[in-house]
């Protein structure tokens, strides 16, 4: 396989490294020492810097003020962000923006996407459903109302003056009821992409303003100490244009989110292995660096192999999503393989790092414990390895190879 990156993709990596070079992983309080969430808000300083350097619009078309790059470029930037535990909704906001541009209403895209690229509008998505085990779209129902069963043009919505709306005032649209749990960065988001199902079982994606009537947020806290939200929707009305009902939209968005999560796992794992190499190269026993001991070297080599497998499967999945290239299995198969390696691989990397650091790895003045908490969150996000092994098995049963 040749996963050589284009000049534009490499330029995005260099820009990202420049931005993240000033970010310390201990910018927020330690999750090990903080009851509840480590912070009330995202890292606004970093978010504005990402906007200033045009990294938030990296994957948007030039028509919306972006650079027109693909999901591979986004994954490259996410890989760099994970090395410093960047506390920003880079994956969620960019992924939802890409789904809007690819599948959404043209007028809504023109309204939202330039603002998203400038960092003025934050997007997030509820991808965990009620419990994290069942398909997310089944946790919320969508019922049409008004003219043409939700096919109207949304002209009945009134503007509140700040670019957001106070809800449909007539016309046609959809009514949403249900719950999405563990929605990342929801309290900071302006719109939440909510997957839902119609009476016929068809998945749709609603772009719901956080302040819309009927939307309530209950605080939750992630494994890494970040603030999540349980988003409840009670008879929430959205315009027809605020709902993307194009076939394949939610499946594509979920695949992109999962692949982006694999990129985060890879970046985090690479940073942790580098920390381990630095520590074991300096730590001496019996007059020799512990890195020269065979048992230490073999464990580090095994984790390096994990990272290379994570990398190869990540770029295969990102390439399938970016190019819509066919294959013996749907792109979801490559995404499942990437997530299996990412979930198991990042767990093994941080566990080995803790072991090779000894007691120093448990010191809360040293950042390794933060990486361990983030790794566990990434491992379980959008399904652990076992869930994707089951999904891959279903795909192989439906598409026999050979």
């Amino acid at each position: 396989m040749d996963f050589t990156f284009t000049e534009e993709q490499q330029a995005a990596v260099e820009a990202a490294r420049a931005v993240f070079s000033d970010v310390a992983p201990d910018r927020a309080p330690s999750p090990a020492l903080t009851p509840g969430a480590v912070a009330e808000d995202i890292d606004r300083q970093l978010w504005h810097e990402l906007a200033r350097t045009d990294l938030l619009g990296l994957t948007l078309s030039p028509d919306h003020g972006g650079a027109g790059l693909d999901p591979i470029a986004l994954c490259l930037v996410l890989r760099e962000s994970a090395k410093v535990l960047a506390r920003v909704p880079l994956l969620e906001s960019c992924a939802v923006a890409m789904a809007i541009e690819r599948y959404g209403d043209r007028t809504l895209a023109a309204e939202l996407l330039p603002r998203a690229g400038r960092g003025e509008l934050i997007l997030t998505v509820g991808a965990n459903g009620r419990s994290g085990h069942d398909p997310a779209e089944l946790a919320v129902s969508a019922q049409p109302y008004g003219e043409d069963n939700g096919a109207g043009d949304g002209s009945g919505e009134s503007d509140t003056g700040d670019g957001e709306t106070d809800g449909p005032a007539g016309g046609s649209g959809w009514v949403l009821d249900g719950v999405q749990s563990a929605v990342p960065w929801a309290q900071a988001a302006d719109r939440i992409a909510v997957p839902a199902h119609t009476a016929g079982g068809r998945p749709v994606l609603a772009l719901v303003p956080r302040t819309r009537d009927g939307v309530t947020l209950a605080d939750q806290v992630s494994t890494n100490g970040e603030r999540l939200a349980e988003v409840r929707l009670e008879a929430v009305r959205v315009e027809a244009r605020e709902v993307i009902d194009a076939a394949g939209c939610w499946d594509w968005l979920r695949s992109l989110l999962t692949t982006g999560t694999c990129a985060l796992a890879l970046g985090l794992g690479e940073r942790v292995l580098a920390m381990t190499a630095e520590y074991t190269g300096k730590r001496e026993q019996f007059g020799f660096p512990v890195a020269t001991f065979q048992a230490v070297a073999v464990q580090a080599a095994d984790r390096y192999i994990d990272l290379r497998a994570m990398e190869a499967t990540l770029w295969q999945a990102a390439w399938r999503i970016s190019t819509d290239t066919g294959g013996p299995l749907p792109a979801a198969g490559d995404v499942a393989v990437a997530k299996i390696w990412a979930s198991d691989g990042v767990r093994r990397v941080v566990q080995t790092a803790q072991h090779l650091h000894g007691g120093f790895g448990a010191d809360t003045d040293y950042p390794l414990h933060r990486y361990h908490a983030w790794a566990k969150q990434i491992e379980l996000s959008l399904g652990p390895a076992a869930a994707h092994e089951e999904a891959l098995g279903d795909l192989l049963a439906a598409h026999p190879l050979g």
Side-chain angles (χ1 to χ4, degrees):
M1 299 180 194
D2 182 8
F3 290 133
T4 303
F5 301 115
T6 65
E7 291 184 5
E8 292 81 3
Q9 291 166 344
Q10 292 171 341
V13 173
E14 293 304 316
R17 286 175 178 166
V19 171
F20 294 127
S21 64
D22 294 330
V23 179
D26 57 357
R27 215 138 113 166
S30 167
L33 304 176
T34 308
V38 297
E40 292 296 308
D41 198 8
I42 66 173
D43 188 336
R44 292 284 176 176
Q45 178 183 345
L46 177 56
W47 188 251
H48 294 320
E49 187 64 16
L50 289 169
R52 186 188 69 79
T53 53
D54 297 326
L55 287 173
L56 297 182
L58 191 69
T59 55
L60 297 178
S61 72
D63 291 342
H64 296 127
L69 298 188
D70 57 15
I72 295 175
L74 174 60
C75 288
L76 286 166
V77 175
L78 289 169
R79 179 186 189 177
E80 298 303 316
S81 75
K83 295 178 182 179
V84 297
L85 307 183
R87 299 185 52 260
V88 287
L90 182 61
L91 169 58
E92 294 80 8
S93 198
C94 290
V96 174
M98 292 178 71
I100 294 173
E101 185 167 67
R102 184 182 176 104
Y103 294 101
D105 177 84
R106 299 299 91 192
T107 59
L108 187 67
E111 174 188 328
L112 298 182
L113 297 186
R115 296 177 59 208
R118 296 192 298 267
E120 301 167 2
L121 185 82
I122 297 177
L123 305 167
T124 191
V125 55
N128 294 304
R130 185 179 293 272
S131 65
H133 298 291
D134 298 320
E137 66 272 18
L138 300 184
V140 177
S141 65
Q143 298 291 335
Y145 74 87
E147 303 168 2
D148 301 326
N149 286 333
D153 62 5
S155 59
E157 187 173 86
S158 58
D159 198 326
T160 59
D162 60 357
E164 297 300 336
T165 55
D166 60 4
S172 62
W174 300 81
V175 178
L176 305 177
D177 287 281
V179 176
Q180 289 288 343
S181 185
V183 179
W185 319 107
Q187 293 85 349
D190 298 289
R191 287 194 182 238
I192 303 170
V194 177
H197 67 279
T198 66
R202 180 166 52 90
V204 297
L205 186 70
L207 303 167
V208 184
R210 174 175 50 82
T211 56
R212 180 64 54 83
D213 288 345
V215 176
T216 57
L217 275 58
D219 280 357
Q220 296 176 317
V221 180
S222 67
T223 301
N224 59 348
E226 294 300 330
R227 199 175 175 205
L228 305 175
E230 180 184 76
V231 178
R232 292 189 171 275
L233 304 106
E234 299 181 6
V236 176
R237 289 197 166 205
V238 290
E239 287 188 78
R241 71 183 188 126
E242 293 177 310
V243 174
I244 304 175
D245 61 357
C249 174
W250 170 236
D251 288 340
W252 185 86
L253 176 55
R254 183 176 173 82
S255 290
L256 177 57
L257 291 167
T258 306
T259 305
T261 303
C262 297
L264 295 174
L266 176 62
L268 187 150
E270 289 175 329
R271 178 63 190 130
V272 167
L273 190 61
M275 292 168 62
T276 305
E278 181 180 2
Y279 176 78
T280 57
K282 295 178 179 178
R283 177 77 166 90
E284 291 189 359
Q285 286 184 357
F286 312 111
F288 297 94
V290 298
T292 62
F293 298 169
Q294 185 178 29
V296 173
V298 167
Q299 290 182 71
D302 284 343
R303 300 296 78 82
Y304 177 82
I305 292 170
D306 276 335
L307 290 173
R308 297 290 68 80
M310 291 164 63
E311 184 176 20
T313 54
L314 163 65
W315 299 132
Q316 173 71 14
W319 173 72
R320 288 291 303 275
I321 293 173
S322 299
T323 61
D324 292 328
T325 301
L329 289 179
D334 292 294
V335 173
V337 171
K339 189 57 164 70
I340 291 166
W341 273 103
S343 293
D344 282 344
V346 76
R347 172 176 47 79
R348 288 193 290 259
V349 168
V350 294
Q351 286 177 344
T352 297
Q354 289 281 12
H355 175 64
L356 296 182
H357 274 82
F360 192 58
D363 188 344
T364 55
D365 290 330
Y366 184 66
L368 183 58
H369 74 287
R370 296 174 183 266
Y371 285 92
H372 202 153
W374 277 69
K376 179 55 68 174
Q377 179 67 28
I378 290 171
E379 175 194 349
L380 300 177
S381 294
L382 298 172
H388 287 276
E389 288 167 355
E390 182 178 347
L392 181 60
D394 292 340
L395 285 170
L396 288 170
H399 302 82
L401 302 180

